[in-house]
Amino acid sequence: LNNFPYTTLLVVGSLEPEKKDAINPAIVKKYKIEKNVIFLGERTDVDEIYALMDIFVLPSHREGLGISIIEASAMEKPVVSTNIRGCREVVEDGFTGKLVPVSDSDKLAEAIMFLMDNLKESKEMGKRGRVKAEKEFNEGIIFGRIKKEYSRLIKEKL
């Protein structure tokens, strides 16, 4: 980060200090990056926040279906996330973003730096992410799948 003084990290969401894997805000002081990190807390205006981002990062240890990844992709943001279920359903590694191993901060940093150093490719990943979000996670498509599955289950039970 010190090589990129124009970079600001937005940390969105509750800090949840009771969790053992929570982000401790003191870490930014330890690495002397206070000027580059903003803790926003829990927000309801995420659509406005996505618009501010160049890259969306979700280094989750556990995830169902990464709704935030779908939202970021719909906003044409390239995504860096961990290679876990839910995330890998949304992010195609090297195509719509980058997937990294869980708890591998070196690979996470490497993926972020790749996207920052390759802005043209990064923008293309964001555009492909939007197409994927529209095609595979469109609300109408999802509700259609749910309706079809409910109908199948009802017929099966009758």
Side-chain angles (χ1 to χ4, degrees), residues 4 6-12 49-58 68 72-73 75-81 96-98 108-119 121-123 125-126:
F4 293 93
Y6 55 85
T7 301
T8 300
L9 299 175
L10 298 176
V11 180
V12 181
I49 294 169
Y50 290 129
L52 300 172
M53 297 178 188
D54 294 312
I55 299 167
F56 179 80
V57 181
L58 182 68
S68 59
S73 294
M75 295 287 292
E76 293 190 8
K77 304 304 173 187
V79 175
V80 175
S81 189
T96 63
K98 294 282 192 179
L108 180 67
E110 194 177 292
I112 293 168
M113 295 306 294
F114 175 85
L115 292 176
M116 291 175 71
D117 289 341
N118 297 280
L119 293 178
E121 189 168 346
S122 180
K123 291 249 186 244
M125 286 182 180

Side-chain angles (χ1 to χ4, degrees), residues 142-154:
I142 299 298
F143 287 138
R145 288 179 191 160
I146 292 170
K147 182 180 175 185
K148 185 178 176 181
E149 186 60 16
Y150 277 145
S151 295
R152 185 189 68 76
L153 291 170
I154 290 169

Side-chain angles (χ1 to χ4, degrees), residues 2-136:
N2 294 325
N3 296 333
F4 293 93
Y6 55 85
T7 301
T8 300
L9 299 175
L10 298 176
V11 180
V12 181
S14 302
L15 292 178
E16 302 177 314
E18 69 280 359
K19 292 186 175 181
K20 68 176 186 170
D21 61 350
I23 295 174
N24 183 345
I27 196 86
V28 300
K29 288 183 188 217
K30 178 181 176 184
Y31 289 101
K32 297 178 173 66
I33 56 173
E34 303 99 304
K35 292 185 285 181
N36 300 87
V37 180
I38 301 171
F39 290 93
L40 295 178
E42 199 163 325
R43 301 292 290 255
T44 58
D45 60 344
V46 291
D47 53 331
E48 294 174 27
I49 294 169
Y50 290 129
L52 300 172
M53 297 178 188
D54 294 312
I55 299 167
F56 179 80
V57 181
L58 182 68
S60 183
H61 292 225
R62 59 200 167 279
E63 201 69 36
L65 178 62
I67 299 298
S68 59
I69 296 175
I70 296 169
E71 292 170 343
S73 294
M75 295 287 292
E76 293 190 8
K77 304 304 173 187
V79 175
V80 175
S81 189
T82 41
N83 190 1
I84 57 172
R85 102 183 139 80
C87 297
R88 69 176 153 254
E89 274 68 57
V90 183
V91 179
E92 289 182 49
D93 190 35
F95 190 70
T96 63
K98 294 282 192 179
L99 291 172
V100 299
V102 173
S103 300
D104 191 332
S105 57
D106 290 335
K107 291 288 185 191
L108 180 67
E110 194 177 292
I112 293 168
M113 295 306 294
F114 175 85
L115 292 176
M116 291 175 71
D117 289 341
N118 297 280
L119 293 178
K120 185 177 179 187
E121 189 168 346
S122 180
K123 291 249 186 244
E124 287 302 313
M125 286 182 180
K127 288 177 184 177
R128 291 189 296 256
R130 174 159 177 106
V131 170
K132 181 177 176 76
E134 288 176 332
K135 241 200 290 194
E136 296 180 26

